[in-house]
Structures are given as C-alpha cells and as structure tokens.
C-alpha cells in the first residue's frame, strides 16, 4: 500500500512538473493575434499611399481572426479578444478603420494588455 501511494505521488509530481515546464498557454494565441493585427496596424499607417493594400490586409485579418479567437486558452483572453474585435468591426469603411488604427496606440489594445499579463509583449511591427 505504501509503495502504491509513493508511485501515485511520483506520477502526480511528474505531471505537475511537466505542466509547469510547458510553454505559456497564452503564447500561441497571443502570437497569432499579434501577427494578424500587427499587419493591420502597419497597413493602416500606409493607408494614404496604399488604400487597396490596406483593404486586402483588413479583409484577410478579419477572416483570420475567427481562427485566432478559437485558440484563446481561457475566458479572460476571449473577453479581451471580443472587446478588441468589436472595436475593429464598428467601422463600415476602410478609411474609418485605418484612421482609428493610426490614432490608436497598439499598446492599449485589450488583447495586447491581456497578453502582457502573461509576460508576452506584442508589437504592431511583429508581422
């Protein structure tokens, strides 16, 4: 009986150590979000000279964000995503979205702030 408890304890400890040594659960989600939205912020900065390029990036980013949201590992990151996503969907025209993104500090994006709480720093030029 003592031997069995020892084996169970060792197995549990091994599982805990493996879980603790694993990668940050938010890392993949945050990197995906940073890559997608970072491209959008960069394209917004070039909107005046390349509006068609911005439109293409905006379409592909919005399509990609559904997949990105599905990778959120917890409710906190999903809520941050939903808030940030809503901010980008209130604009019916590309020029309004581009203007908003140019005037917005990427560091204030809800997902960027949430990822920072996991020790992951995102930058708009990460693309």
């Amino acid at each position: 009986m003592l031997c069995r408890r020892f084996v169970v304890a060792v197995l549990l400890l091994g599982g805990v150590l493996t879980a603790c040594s694993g990668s940050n659960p938010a890392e993949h989600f945050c990197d995906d979000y940073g890559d997608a939205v970072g491209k959008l912020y960069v394209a917004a900065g070039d909107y005046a000279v390349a509006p068609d390029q911005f439109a293409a990036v905006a379409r592909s980013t919005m399509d990609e964000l559904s997949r990105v949201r599905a990778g959120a590992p917890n409710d906190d990151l999903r809520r941050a995503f939903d808030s940030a996503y809503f901010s980008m969907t209130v604009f019916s025209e590309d020029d309004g979205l581009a203007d908003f993104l140019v005037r917005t500090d990427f560091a204030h994006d809800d997902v960027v702030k949430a990822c920072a709480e996991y020790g992951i720093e995102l930058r708009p030029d990460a693309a």
Side-chain angles (χ1 to χ4, degrees):
M1 184 69 129
L2 182 59
C3 238
R4 183 181 297 168
R5 286 183 186 165
F6 178 74
V7 170
V8 170
V10 168
L11 289 174
L12 287 174
L13 180 60
V16 168
L17 291 175
T18 301
C20 291
S21 67
S23 66
N24 185 335
E27 189 170 359
H28 183 72
F29 167 77
C30 291
D31 287 345
D32 279 354
Y33 182 84
D35 288 346
V37 177
K39 292 174 190 174
L40 188 60
Y41 271 81
V42 170
D46 295 333
Y47 180 79
V49 295
D52 292 340
Q53 176 66 24
F54 175 78
V57 170
R59 273 192 308 278
S60 68
T61 298
M62 297 312 251
D63 290 344
E64 186 177 354
L65 288 178
S66 294
R67 179 195 57 77
V68 170
R69 185 188 189 279
N74 60 44
D75 287 341
D76 289 335
L77 288 170
R78 275 187 289 282
R79 276 191 292 275
F81 177 92
D82 291 345
S83 175
Y85 184 78
F86 175 77
S87 297
M88 290 184 273
T89 61
V90 297
F91 300 94
S92 59
E93 301 295 326
D94 289 339
D95 62 337
L97 176 58
D99 182 58
F100 169 75
L101 294 172
V102 167
R103 292 183 297 110
T104 303
D105 184 350
F106 186 73
H108 293 125
D109 180 290
D110 289 336
V111 175
V112 173
K113 291 188 293 188
C115 289
E117 292 179 17
Y118 287 88
I120 302 166
E121 183 180 354
L122 300 179
R123 298 174 185 262
D125 58 355

